[in-house]
Amino acid sequence: MTDAIRPLIAGNWKMNGLKSAMAEFEVMIAGAAGLTANADLLVCPPATLIAGFADRARGSRLAVGAQDCHAKASGAHTGDLAAEMLADAGATAIIVGHSERRADHGETDALVRQKAEAAWRAGLTAIVCIGETQTQRDAGQTLDVCGGQLKGSLPEGATAANLVVAYEPVWAIGTGLTPTAGDVEQVHRFIRGVLTERFKAEGGKMRILYGGSVKPSNAAELMAVANVNGALVGGASLKAADFLAIAAAC
């Protein structure tokens, strides 16, 4: 992990969690107090829980984020949520371009870029996800795919304060499979190069998270890799003990 960059451990709860999950979230808040000297902690629950979680987390060391937003601030978009609405509910960041959104909803790089800009418009940090499929990996296209997604998905004007990049190899999400430390290092080094070439000094300070079956048993190894500045955690972030153990690895 790059020492000069403060790591971020972000939990993506996906479509999981009812109001009863507040009890687990409160355990996370309590545990975060002793861990935030080493890292920033963020939980992105379903939209139905954001306001309640944000109210409960106020004054604590645990931030609350969202999992997606619409590109526009308002309008006739039934079922969608604007970034401004999520900010109003208490979110401080929004995940955009997750592979599940790209695959299940046909989201393009251009749309992901617009959503990142929407997050900024609302004063929130955009966490932009990129990553290759197993087929693309097998064909030796990992860097080409990631490079293309970075080029198309990241807006101009990105800074270390308003943008986080999350590399999540699609084939590792929820499968229990993870790349080797060497594989992760190669891709994160490549991402860092792209960011610094495009955004100059800011690109050298941006956080690059690794995601894809991150769990307590592999967190320390992954967090020790150069240019890994934290993690985007899926299933393990639903359990306070696992999420806090991953954060402790920083």
Side-chain angles (χ1 to χ4, degrees), residues 64-131:
V64 176
Q67 299 175 19
D68 182 49
C69 69
H70 194 279
K72 294 187 177 180
S74 62
H77 305 289
T78 301
D80 283 315
L81 296 172
E84 286 81 358
M85 295 174 176
L86 297 166
D88 187 54
T92 61
I94 303 177
I95 299 169
V96 297
H98 192 281
S99 64
E100 291 160 1
R101 297 290 311 177
R102 293 178 186 261
D104 296 348
H105 300 273
E107 295 193 0
T108 63
D109 290 338
L111 179 58
V112 174
R113 182 175 66 250
Q114 292 168 6
K115 290 186 174 188
E117 291 170 337
W120 297 353
R121 188 184 64 224
L124 306 182
T125 298
I127 302 175
V128 179
C129 301
I130 64 169

Coordinates of all heavy atoms in Angstrom, one line a residue, residues 64-131:
V64 N -21.3 6.9 5.3 CA -22.4 6.2 4.5 C -22.4 6.7 3.1 O -22.3 7.9 2.8 CB -23.7 6.4 5.2 CG1 -24.8 5.7 4.4 CG2 -23.7 5.9 6.6
G65 N -22.5 5.7 2.2 CA -22.5 6.0 0.7 C -23.7 5.3 0.1 O -24.5 4.6 0.7
A66 N -23.8 5.5 -1.3 CA -24.8 4.9 -2.1 C -24.2 4.0 -3.1 O -23.0 4.1 -3.4 CB -25.7 6.0 -2.7
Q67 N -25.1 3.2 -3.8 CA -24.6 2.2 -4.7 C -24.8 2.6 -6.2 O -24.2 1.9 -7.1 CB -25.3 0.9 -4.5 CG -25.1 0.3 -3.1 CD -25.9 -1.0 -2.9 OE1 -26.4 -1.6 -3.8 NE2 -26.1 -1.3 -1.6
D68 N -25.5 3.6 -6.4 CA -25.8 4.1 -7.8 C -26.6 5.4 -7.8 O -27.1 5.8 -6.7 CB -26.6 3.0 -8.6 CG -26.9 3.3 -10.0 OD1 -25.9 3.7 -10.7 OD2 -28.0 3.2 -10.5
C69 N -26.7 6.1 -8.9 CA -27.5 7.3 -9.0 C -27.9 7.4 -10.5 O -27.3 6.8 -11.4 CB -26.8 8.5 -8.5 SG -25.4 9.0 -9.6
H70 N -28.9 8.3 -10.7 CA -29.2 8.7 -12.1 C -28.3 9.8 -12.5 O -27.8 10.5 -11.6 CB -30.7 9.1 -12.1 CG -31.2 9.2 -13.5 ND1 -31.0 10.3 -14.3 CD2 -31.9 8.3 -14.3 CE1 -31.6 10.1 -15.5 NE2 -32.2 8.9 -15.5
A71 N -28.1 10.0 -13.8 CA -27.2 11.0 -14.2 C -27.8 12.4 -14.1 O -27.1 13.4 -14.0 CB -26.8 10.8 -15.7
K72 N -29.1 12.5 -14.1 CA -29.8 13.8 -14.0 C -30.2 14.2 -12.6 O -30.4 13.3 -11.7 CB -31.0 13.9 -14.9 CG -30.6 13.8 -16.4 CD -31.7 14.0 -17.3 CE -31.3 14.0 -18.8 NZ -32.4 14.2 -19.7
A73 N -30.4 15.5 -12.3 CA -30.7 15.9 -11.0 C -32.2 15.7 -10.6 O -32.5 15.7 -9.4 CB -30.3 17.4 -10.8
S74 N -33.0 15.7 -11.6 CA -34.5 15.5 -11.4 C -35.1 15.2 -12.7 O -34.5 15.2 -13.7 CB -35.1 16.8 -10.8 OG -35.0 17.8 -11.7
G75 N -36.4 14.8 -12.6 CA -37.1 14.6 -13.9 C -38.0 13.4 -13.8 O -38.2 12.7 -12.8
A76 N -38.6 13.0 -15.0 CA -39.5 11.9 -15.2 C -38.7 10.6 -15.3 O -38.6 10.1 -16.4 CB -40.4 12.2 -16.3
H77 N -38.2 10.1 -14.2 CA -37.4 8.9 -14.3 C -37.8 8.0 -13.1 O -37.2 7.9 -12.1 CB -35.9 9.2 -14.1 CG -35.4 10.2 -15.2 ND1 -35.3 9.9 -16.5 CD2 -35.1 11.5 -15.1 CE1 -34.9 11.0 -17.2 NE2 -34.7 12.0 -16.3
T78 N -39.0 7.4 -13.3 CA -39.6 6.6 -12.3 C -38.7 5.5 -11.7 O -38.1 4.7 -12.5 CB -40.9 5.9 -12.9 OG1 -41.8 6.9 -13.3 CG2 -41.6 5.0 -11.8
G79 N -38.6 5.5 -10.4 CA -37.8 4.5 -9.8 C -36.3 4.8 -9.6 O -35.6 4.2 -8.8
D80 N -35.8 5.9 -10.2 CA -34.4 6.3 -10.1 C -34.2 7.3 -9.0 O -35.2 8.0 -8.5 CB -34.0 6.9 -11.4 CG -33.7 5.8 -12.5 OD1 -33.0 4.8 -12.1 OD2 -34.1 6.0 -13.6
L81 N -33.0 7.5 -8.6 CA -32.6 8.4 -7.5 C -31.5 9.3 -8.0 O -30.5 8.8 -8.6 CB -32.2 7.6 -6.3 CG -33.2 6.8 -5.6 CD1 -32.6 5.9 -4.5 CD2 -34.3 7.6 -5.0
A82 N -31.7 10.6 -7.8 CA -30.6 11.6 -8.2 C -29.6 11.6 -7.2 O -29.8 11.3 -6.0 CB -31.3 13.0 -8.4
A83 N -28.4 12.0 -7.6 CA -27.3 12.1 -6.6 C -27.6 13.1 -5.5 O -27.2 13.0 -4.4 CB -26.0 12.6 -7.4
E84 N -28.4 14.2 -5.9 CA -28.8 15.2 -4.9 C -29.7 14.6 -3.8 O -29.6 15.0 -2.7 CB -29.5 16.4 -5.6 CG -28.5 17.3 -6.4 CD -28.1 16.8 -7.8 OE1 -28.6 15.6 -8.1 OE2 -27.4 17.5 -8.5
M85 N -30.5 13.7 -4.3 CA -31.4 13.0 -3.3 C -30.6 12.1 -2.3 O -30.9 12.1 -1.1 CB -32.4 12.1 -4.0 CG -33.4 12.8 -4.9 SD -34.4 11.7 -5.8 CE -35.5 12.8 -6.7
L86 N -29.6 11.5 -2.8 CA -28.7 10.6 -2.0 C -27.9 11.5 -1.0 O -27.7 11.1 0.1 CB -27.8 9.8 -2.9 CG -28.6 8.8 -3.8 CD1 -27.7 8.2 -4.9 CD2 -29.3 7.7 -3.0
A87 N -27.4 12.6 -1.5 CA -26.7 13.5 -0.6 C -27.6 14.0 0.4 O -27.2 14.2 1.6 CB -26.1 14.7 -1.5
D88 N -28.9 14.3 0.1 CA -29.8 14.8 1.0 C -30.1 13.8 2.1 O -30.4 14.1 3.3 CB -31.1 15.2 0.3 CG -32.1 15.9 1.2 OD1 -31.8 16.9 1.8 OD2 -33.3 15.4 1.2
A89 N -30.0 12.5 1.7 CA -30.3 11.4 2.7 C -29.1 11.2 3.6 O -29.2 10.5 4.6 CB -30.6 10.1 1.9
G90 N -27.9 11.7 3.2 CA -26.8 11.6 4.1 C -25.6 10.9 3.5 O -24.6 10.7 4.1
A91 N -25.7 10.5 2.2 CA -24.6 9.8 1.5 C -23.4 10.8 1.3 O -23.6 12.0 1.0 CB -25.0 9.2 0.2
T92 N -22.2 10.3 1.4 CA -21.0 11.1 1.1 C -20.3 10.7 -0.2 O -19.4 11.4 -0.7 CB -20.0 11.1 2.3 OG1 -19.6 9.7 2.4 CG2 -20.7 11.6 3.5
A93 N -20.7 9.5 -0.7 CA -20.0 9.0 -1.9 C -21.0 8.1 -2.6 O -22.0 7.6 -2.0 CB -18.8 8.1 -1.5
I94 N -20.8 7.8 -3.9 CA -21.6 7.0 -4.7 C -20.8 6.0 -5.5 O -19.8 6.5 -6.2 CB -22.5 7.8 -5.7 CG1 -23.4 8.8 -4.9 CG2 -23.4 6.8 -6.5 CD1 -24.3 9.6 -5.8
I95 N -21.1 4.8 -5.5 CA -20.4 3.8 -6.4 C -21.1 3.9 -7.7 O -22.3 3.9 -7.8 CB -20.6 2.3 -5.8 CG1 -20.0 2.2 -4.4 CG2 -20.0 1.3 -6.8 CD1 -20.3 0.9 -3.7
V96 N -20.3 4.0 -8.8 CA -20.9 4.1 -10.1 C -20.1 3.1 -11.0 O -18.9 2.9 -10.8 CB -20.8 5.5 -10.8 CG1 -21.7 6.4 -9.9 CG2 -19.4 6.0 -10.9
G97 N -20.8 2.5 -12.0 CA -20.1 1.6 -12.9 C -19.7 0.3 -12.4 O -18.9 -0.4 -13.0
H98 N -20.4 -0.2 -11.3 CA -20.1 -1.5 -10.9 C -20.4 -2.5 -12.0 O -21.3 -2.3 -12.8 CB -20.9 -1.8 -9.6 CG -20.5 -3.1 -8.9 ND1 -20.8 -4.4 -9.3 CD2 -19.7 -3.3 -7.8 CE1 -20.3 -5.2 -8.5 NE2 -19.6 -4.6 -7.6
S99 N -19.6 -3.6 -12.1 CA -19.8 -4.6 -13.2 C -21.2 -5.1 -13.2 O -21.7 -5.5 -14.3 CB -18.8 -5.7 -13.0 OG -19.0 -6.4 -11.9
E100 N -21.8 -5.2 -12.0 CA -23.2 -5.7 -12.0 C -24.2 -4.8 -12.6 O -25.2 -5.2 -13.2 CB -23.6 -6.1 -10.6 CG -22.8 -7.3 -10.0 CD -22.8 -7.4 -8.5 OE1 -23.4 -6.5 -7.8 OE2 -22.1 -8.3 -8.0
R101 N -23.9 -3.5 -12.5 CA -24.7 -2.5 -13.2 C -24.4 -2.5 -14.7 O -25.3 -2.4 -15.5 CB -24.4 -1.1 -12.7 CG -24.7 -0.8 -11.2 CD -26.2 -0.8 -10.9 NE -26.9 0.1 -11.8 CZ -28.3 0.3 -11.7 NH1 -29.0 -0.4 -10.9 NH2 -28.9 1.1 -12.6
R102 N -23.2 -2.6 -15.0 CA -22.8 -2.7 -16.5 C -23.4 -3.9 -17.1 O -23.9 -3.8 -18.3 CB -21.3 -2.7 -16.6 CG -20.5 -1.4 -16.1 CD -19.0 -1.6 -16.3 NE -18.2 -0.5 -15.7 CZ -17.7 0.5 -16.5 NH1 -17.9 0.5 -17.8 NH2 -17.0 1.5 -15.9
A103 N -23.4 -5.0 -16.5 CA -23.9 -6.3 -17.1 C -25.4 -6.3 -17.0 O -26.1 -6.6 -18.0 CB -23.3 -7.5 -16.4
D104 N -26.0 -6.1 -15.8 CA -27.5 -6.3 -15.6 C -28.3 -5.1 -16.3 O -29.4 -5.3 -16.6 CB -27.8 -6.3 -14.1 CG -27.2 -7.6 -13.5 OD1 -26.7 -8.5 -14.2 OD2 -27.2 -7.6 -12.2
H105 N -27.7 -3.9 -16.3 CA -28.5 -2.8 -16.8 C -27.9 -2.2 -18.1 O -28.3 -1.1 -18.5 CB -28.6 -1.7 -15.7 CG -29.3 -2.2 -14.5 ND1 -30.6 -2.2 -14.3 CD2 -28.8 -2.8 -13.4 CE1 -31.0 -2.7 -13.2 NE2 -29.9 -3.1 -12.6
G106 N -26.9 -2.8 -18.6 CA -26.3 -2.3 -19.9 C -25.6 -1.0 -19.8 O -25.6 -0.2 -20.8
E107 N -25.1 -0.6 -18.7 CA -24.4 0.7 -18.5 C -23.2 0.8 -19.3 O -22.3 -0.1 -19.2 CB -24.2 1.0 -17.0 CG -25.5 1.1 -16.2 CD -25.3 1.7 -14.9 OE1 -24.1 2.1 -14.5 OE2 -26.3 1.9 -14.1
T108 N -23.0 1.8 -20.0 CA -21.8 2.1 -20.9 C -20.8 3.0 -20.1 O -21.2 3.6 -19.1 CB -22.2 2.8 -22.2 OG1 -22.8 4.1 -21.8 CG2 -23.3 2.0 -23.0
D109 N -19.6 3.0 -20.7 CA -18.6 3.9 -20.1 C -19.1 5.3 -20.1 O -18.9 6.1 -19.1 CB -17.3 3.8 -20.9 CG -16.6 2.5 -20.7 OD1 -16.8 1.8 -19.7 OD2 -15.8 2.2 -21.6
A110 N -19.8 5.8 -21.1 CA -20.3 7.1 -21.2 C -21.3 7.4 -20.1 O -21.3 8.5 -19.5 CB -20.9 7.4 -22.6
L111 N -22.2 6.5 -19.9 CA -23.2 6.7 -18.8 C -22.5 6.7 -17.4 O -22.9 7.5 -16.6 CB -24.3 5.6 -18.8 CG -25.4 5.6 -17.8 CD1 -26.1 7.0 -17.8 CD2 -26.3 4.5 -17.9
V112 N -21.5 5.8 -17.2 CA -20.8 5.8 -16.0 C -20.2 7.2 -15.7 O -20.2 7.7 -14.6 CB -19.8 4.7 -15.9 CG1 -18.9 4.7 -14.7 CG2 -20.5 3.3 -16.0
R113 N -19.6 7.7 -16.8 CA -18.9 9.0 -16.7 C -20.0 10.1 -16.3 O -19.7 10.9 -15.4 CB -18.3 9.4 -18.0 CG -17.6 10.8 -18.0 CD -16.8 11.0 -19.3 NE -17.7 11.2 -20.4 CZ -17.9 10.4 -21.4 NH1 -17.2 9.3 -21.4 NH2 -18.8 10.6 -22.4
Q114 N -21.2 10.0 -16.9 CA -22.2 11.0 -16.5 C -22.6 10.8 -15.1 O -22.9 11.8 -14.4 CB -23.4 10.8 -17.5 CG -23.1 11.2 -18.9 CD -24.2 10.7 -19.9 OE1 -25.3 10.2 -19.4 NE2 -24.0 10.9 -21.2
K115 N -22.7 9.6 -14.6 CA -23.1 9.4 -13.2 C -22.0 9.9 -12.3 O -22.3 10.4 -11.2 CB -23.3 7.9 -13.0 CG -24.6 7.4 -13.7 CD -25.0 6.0 -13.3 CE -26.3 5.6 -13.8 NZ -26.7 4.2 -13.3
A116 N -20.7 9.7 -12.6 CA -19.6 10.3 -11.8 C -19.7 11.8 -11.8 O -19.6 12.4 -10.7 CB -18.3 9.9 -12.4
E117 N -20.1 12.4 -12.9 CA -20.2 13.9 -12.9 C -21.4 14.3 -12.0 O -21.4 15.3 -11.4 CB -20.4 14.3 -14.3 CG -19.2 14.2 -15.2 CD -19.4 14.5 -16.7 OE1 -20.5 14.3 -17.1 OE2 -18.4 14.8 -17.3
A118 N -22.5 13.4 -12.0 CA -23.6 13.7 -11.2 C -23.3 13.7 -9.7 O -23.7 14.5 -8.9 CB -24.7 12.7 -11.5
A119 N -22.4 12.7 -9.3 CA -22.0 12.6 -7.9 C -21.3 13.9 -7.6 O -21.5 14.5 -6.5 CB -21.1 11.4 -7.8
W120 N -20.4 14.4 -8.5 CA -19.7 15.6 -8.2 C -20.6 16.8 -8.1 O -20.4 17.7 -7.2 CB -18.6 15.9 -9.3 CG -17.6 14.9 -9.4 CD1 -17.3 13.8 -8.6 CD2 -16.6 14.8 -10.4 NE1 -16.2 13.1 -9.0 CE2 -15.8 13.7 -10.1 CE3 -16.3 15.6 -11.6 CZ2 -14.7 13.3 -11.0 CZ3 -15.2 15.2 -12.4 CH2 -14.4 14.1 -12.1
R121 N -21.6 16.8 -9.0 CA -22.6 17.9 -9.0 C -23.2 18.0 -7.6 O -23.6 19.1 -7.1 CB -23.6 17.7 -10.1 CG -24.6 18.8 -10.3 CD -25.6 18.3 -11.4 NE -26.4 17.2 -10.8 CZ -26.7 16.1 -11.6 NH1 -26.3 16.0 -12.8 NH2 -27.5 15.2 -11.0
A122 N -23.4 16.9 -7.0 CA -24.1 16.9 -5.7 C -23.1 17.0 -4.5 O -23.5 16.9 -3.3 CB -24.9 15.6 -5.5
G123 N -21.8 17.2 -4.8 CA -20.8 17.4 -3.8 C -20.3 16.1 -3.2 O -19.8 16.1 -2.1
L124 N -20.5 14.9 -3.9 CA -20.1 13.6 -3.4 C -18.9 13.1 -4.2 O -18.6 13.5 -5.3 CB -21.3 12.7 -3.6 CG -22.6 13.1 -2.9 CD1 -23.7 12.1 -3.1 CD2 -22.5 13.5 -1.5
T125 N -18.3 12.1 -3.5 CA -17.1 11.4 -4.2 C -17.7 10.3 -5.0 O -18.6 9.6 -4.6 CB -16.2 10.8 -3.1 OG1 -15.7 11.9 -2.3 CG2 -15.1 10.0 -3.7
A126 N -17.1 10.2 -6.2 CA -17.5 9.1 -7.1 C -16.5 7.9 -7.0 O -15.3 8.2 -7.1 CB -17.5 9.6 -8.6
I127 N -17.0 6.7 -6.8 CA -16.2 5.5 -6.7 C -16.5 4.8 -8.0 O -17.5 4.2 -8.2 CB -16.5 4.7 -5.5 CG1 -16.3 5.4 -4.2 CG2 -15.6 3.4 -5.5 CD1 -16.7 4.7 -3.0
V128 N -15.6 4.9 -9.0 CA -15.8 4.4 -10.3 C -15.2 3.0 -10.4 O -14.0 2.8 -10.2 CB -15.2 5.3 -11.4 CG1 -15.4 4.7 -12.8 CG2 -15.8 6.7 -11.3
C129 N -16.0 2.0 -10.8 CA -15.5 0.6 -10.9 C -15.1 0.2 -12.3 O -15.8 0.6 -13.3 CB -16.6 -0.3 -10.4 SG -17.2 0.0 -8.7
I130 N -14.1 -0.6 -12.4 CA -13.6 -1.1 -13.7 C -13.2 -2.6 -13.4 O -13.0 -3.0 -12.3 CB -12.5 -0.3 -14.3 CG1 -11.2 -0.5 -13.4 CG2 -12.8 1.1 -14.5 CD1 -9.9 0.0 -14.0
G131 N -13.1 -3.4 -14.5 CA -12.7 -4.7 -14.3 C -13.0 -5.6 -15.5 O -14.0 -5.3 -16.2

